[in-house]
Amino acid sequence: MLTKTKYEEIVLKELRAFPDEAIPHVIHILQSVRKGICITQKAITIKNEPSGLCGTWKDDRSSGEIIEDIRSHRTGFGKRQIYL
C-alpha cells in the first residue's frame, strides 16, 4: 500500500500491530478523535452570529428596566404562581 506521508506509514504500522478483533474498536476511536478535532477547529473559526433561537433586539432601556418589564409580564404556568 502506498502512503503519502511518514505519518501514514507510522499509523499503518501501529494499526497492523493490533489483533484483528480489536480493529473495529481502533477505527471507532480514530473516528471519535477525528470528530473531536473537527469540532474544536470549527468552534475556533465559527463567528458568533445571532441564531434567532433566543431572540435579539435593540433596546434603549437599561438592563434593570428590561428585567423589570419581563417580571411584570410573567403570569405563571397554569395555576402555579412563579415568583422571580
Side-chain angles (χ1 to χ4, degrees):
M1 174 180 280
L2 294 175
T3 57
K4 295 179 184 177
T5 66
K6 187 70 175 171
Y7 291 120
E8 286 183 6
E9 292 177 24
I10 295 169
V11 169
L12 286 174
K13 181 180 176 185
E14 292 295 327
L15 187 59
R16 288 183 182 128
F18 283 97
D20 289 342
E21 58 272 5
I23 299 298
H25 299 293
V26 173
I27 291 171
H28 179 72
I29 292 168
L30 288 172
Q31 289 171 337
S32 296
V33 169
R34 180 176 43 91
K35 287 178 185 175
I37 290 171
C38 291
I39 288 171
T40 57
Q41 287 177 344
K42 286 180 183 176
I44 292 170
T45 60
I46 290 178
K47 190 177 181 182
N48 289 336
E49 296 178 9
S51 66
L53 294 176
C54 298
T56 58
W57 67 90
K58 292 187 179 191
D59 202 322
D60 294 330
R61 298 177 293 172
S62 70
S63 58
E65 291 172 316
I66 293 171
I67 291 170
E68 185 54 40
D69 187 33
I70 292 170
R71 285 186 173 162
S72 69
H73 287 87
R74 296 284 179 182
T75 60
F77 299 95
K79 295 186 178 198
R80 298 182 313 160
Q81 291 297 315
I82 307 298
Y83 299 99
L84 303 175

